[in-house]
Amino acid sequence: GIQVEQSPPDLILQEGANSTLRCNFSDSVNNLQWFHQNPWGQLINLFYIPSGTKQNGRLSATTVATERYSLLYISSSQTTDSGVYFCAVQGGSEKLVFGKGTKLTVNP
Amino acid sequence: NAGVTQTPKFQVLKTGQSMTLQCAQDMNHEYMSWYRQDPGMGLRLIHYSVGAGITDQGEVPNGYNVSRSTTEDFPLRLLSAAPSQTSVYFCASSYGPNQPQHFGDGTRLSIL
């Protein structure tokens, strides 16, 4: 099945810094989503982005489907951005496959 | 709208006991799925359903049963709980498998 790799596994930032999280996948995809799991365990859908670029406030995402990767950009990070960021993809099947996540810690 | 509702939020079981984790959504979503989350493993798909009366296996289906008698509900059954099933369980729903997924708040399950 399709493989998903996220990098880096851990990231520590000072408040106000920018960051880029990466998601590589092994096959063509019909569906790619970025999620944020907050410290209380809730999973929040950030972007549905099988291709192209989207922006939502300080967050933006780009998926280059032909090169099988997606990037999540966080600008001017805040302590509330802390948590784990997951990339999830769906290839030819009906199953969504998650990466292992990037744990982000933003210090004040 | 309540979105995706999971009950209970916490549960402790003894090995061999059975139980059902409940999941309900009020968004008229056809696609529903169950995941488990273990430390360092991300989320792994247990079972999913593309509509009422239709279910299929995910990546880690062993030890779990599901059924989908209505569009709104998708319960997950543990027939004989084992310590290896200690995990956090998430239910999700969407209009279709290619559409944005909406997650419940999870059920934290411990099996002693």
Side-chain angles (χ1 to χ4, degrees):
Chain A
I2 196 166
Q3 304 295 314
V4 182
E5 290 189 6
Q6 292 186 241
S7 60
D10 294 279
L11 186 58
I12 300 174
L13 302 174
Q14 287 298 121
E15 202 167 24
N18 302 328
S19 62
T20 300
L21 283 59
R22 188 176 180 102
C23 172
N24 291 334
F25 43 94
S26 61
D27 207 343
S28 57
V29 297
N30 299 317
N31 178 1
L32 188 146
Q33 297 178 49
W34 283 97
F35 296 89
H36 175 219
Q37 187 168 39
N38 62 27
W40 296 269
Q42 296 172 315
L43 282 159
I44 309 300
N45 194 313
L46 297 176
F47 293 103
Y48 169 75
I49 187 166
S51 64
T53 298
K54 291 186 177 179
Q55 182 159 4
N56 185 0
R58 296 181 296 102
L59 273 61
S60 64
T62 295
T63 297
V64 184
T66 54
E67 297 187 20
R68 300 180 182 170
Y69 72 89
S70 182
L71 302 174
L72 178 68
Y73 305 96
I74 305 174
S75 64
S76 304
S77 58
Q78 301 175 357
T79 57
T80 52
D81 294 330
S82 295
V84 182
Y85 290 81
F86 289 103
C87 169
V89 304
Q90 180 197 7
S93 75
E94 297 165 327
K95 304 174 185 178
L96 197 63
V97 178
F98 279 74
K100 294 185 178 181
T102 291
K103 183 178 180 181
L104 175 65
T105 303
V106 181
N107 292 320
Chain B
N1 284 345
V4 180
T5 302
Q6 290 185 236
T7 55
K9 295 190 183 303
F10 303 94
Q11 184 71 48
V12 179
L13 292 177
K14 294 182 179 179
T15 297
Q17 286 185 314
S18 63
M19 81 160 294
T20 299
L21 307 185
Q22 301 291 344
C23 176
Q25 51 90 12
D26 61 359
M27 297 173 282
N28 202 31
H29 286 167
E30 290 293 332
Y31 185 85
M32 296 186 73
S33 51
W34 276 102
Y35 296 84
R36 60 178 288 173
Q37 184 177 25
D38 302 297
M41 299 292 290
L43 278 79
R44 293 181 292 169
L45 182 64
I46 304 172
H47 286 285
Y48 65 98
S49 169
V50 298
I54 306 170
T55 64
D56 207 343
Q57 296 181 349
E59 180 184 356
V60 288
N62 291 342
Y64 307 95
N65 279 357
V66 292
S67 59
R68 184 95 179 271
S69 56
T70 67
T71 299
E72 295 77 20
D73 300 298
F74 191 44
L76 178 72
R77 297 182 185 85
L78 284 71
L79 300 179
S80 179
S84 61
Q85 293 178 304
T86 293
S87 189
V88 181
Y89 291 84
F90 287 96
C91 178
S93 74
S94 65
Y95 286 112
N98 287 333
Q99 300 302 312
Q101 300 289 310
H102 300 265
F103 279 82
D105 288 343
T107 294
R108 188 173 296 272
L109 181 62
S110 293
I111 311 209
L112 307 178

